[in-house]
Amino acid sequence: MAVIASATPVTSADATFDYGALAPDLAEALRADASRIRSRLRRSVVEALEAGAELARVKALITHGRFGAWLALEFGLSERTAQRLMNAAEAFAGKSDTVSVLEMTAVYSLSAPATPQHVRDGVIAQLETGARPSLEDIKNEVARARKVAAEAKAQVKAEAALSPEARAQKKARAERERKRHHAEHQAYLARNEAEKIAAELAAAIVLERLGPIDTELRDLLMRASSSRFLACLQRAPEDD
């Protein structure tokens, strides 16, 4: 049963190696080496996930409390590491080939119980399109998702600790805030509609009095600042 600590490092999309700067024979040899190593490292990730599935099967057969002793005797493996492998095997069941390009560090991070499922699904979707998210990107995304989940959990816990009176007051404040936002939005929509109607009426009057607008005037109106144009109109003398 092979247990792998690390595997293929995922490079960013813009990471390149200039094989053209090498002698042709050396470049060809290095490309062959890279292909062979990449294949082996990918197999390492797949084998690690297979090992995790086997560990889960064995754990179910051993009396509670003796699994750790079996791990120590057979592999010198801690229960924590075994659990990480089992988590990974469960999280990526049927997707071992897809995630084989990731480092085991990324696999462990994504498969941890604290990592939301949507983060794993997102990374798998990227990999299936041929994208290669970097280890740093994965770690950052996992950290953000865990923070959001922790904050949501803390909020639920804090609300559960409130007294019925405090919970009612909080609900009432939230409802008042919702109504205020709704009223502000409705007022904004009303202002928008009033401005639209006023603009259409003004344009109709201007066209009626001036007749067809020539190209030069139309260009000037299009370039003019509406606020400055209105200020000029206000300074103009009114008809008697």
Side-chain angles (χ1 to χ4, degrees):
M1 181 183 296
V3 178
I4 309 300
S6 62
T8 310
V10 179
T11 57
S12 61
D14 61 348
T16 59
F17 182 81
D18 185 11
Y19 282 102
L22 304 176
D25 290 347
L26 178 58
E28 183 179 354
L30 287 181
R31 285 194 176 97
D33 289 340
S35 178
R36 185 170 56 257
I37 292 170
R38 188 182 306 112
S39 176
R40 288 175 176 172
L41 290 175
R42 288 184 179 184
R43 284 203 306 272
S44 295
V45 175
V46 172
E47 289 171 359
L49 296 179
E50 290 173 351
E54 291 181 27
L55 287 169
R57 180 179 58 79
V58 172
K59 184 178 181 181
L61 299 174
I62 296 181
T63 306
H64 178 70
R66 300 185 64 188
F67 184 58
W70 181 78
L71 290 172
L73 175 65
E74 295 293 347
F75 315 108
L77 194 66
S78 70
E79 287 196 60
R80 179 173 180 272
T81 299
Q83 189 60 57
R84 294 171 77 186
L85 285 164
M86 290 187 288
N87 290 341
E90 180 179 2
F92 296 114
K95 296 291 183 180
S96 58
D97 287 337
T98 302
V99 300
S100 65
V101 297
L102 298 178
E103 294 185 50
M104 279 306 297
T105 301
V107 171
Y108 285 148
S109 181
L110 288 167
S111 60
T115 300
Q117 180 64 40
H118 71 84
V119 178
R120 287 191 285 274
D121 292 341
V123 171
I124 289 174
Q126 290 183 65
L127 294 172
E128 288 177 340
T129 63
R132 294 291 183 268
S134 68
L135 175 60
E136 182 180 2
D137 288 342
I138 290 174
K139 284 185 174 181
N140 289 339
E141 182 60 27
V142 168
R144 281 193 295 269
R146 288 183 181 180
K147 181 180 179 182
V148 170
E151 290 174 349
K153 184 177 180 180
Q155 183 176 357
V156 170
K157 185 176 180 181
E159 290 187 0
L162 293 175
S163 65
E165 294 79 8
R167 195 176 295 114
Q169 291 174 359
K170 183 176 181 180
K171 184 177 180 180
R173 286 195 301 271
E175 180 62 17
R176 288 195 298 271
E177 188 69 9
R178 186 193 67 79
K179 289 181 177 179
R180 183 179 69 81
H181 282 302
H182 179 71
E184 290 177 352
H185 182 63
Q186 292 300 114
Y188 166 77
L189 293 177
R191 286 195 304 272
N192 251 14
E193 184 63 20
E195 290 172 0
K196 176 184 175 183
I197 293 172
E200 290 174 347
L201 287 173
I205 292 172
V206 169
L207 290 173
E208 181 183 356
R209 295 189 178 183
L210 295 181
I213 298 177
D214 61 36
T215 303
E216 182 180 2
L217 177 57
R218 184 184 298 275
D219 290 343
L220 285 172
L221 290 174
M222 294 296 292
R223 293 200 304 269
S225 164
S226 59
S227 58
R228 292 186 179 182
F229 180 67
L230 290 175
C232 292
L233 289 180
Q234 289 173 351
R235 291 198 299 270
E238 295 181 0
D239 290 341
D240 292 332

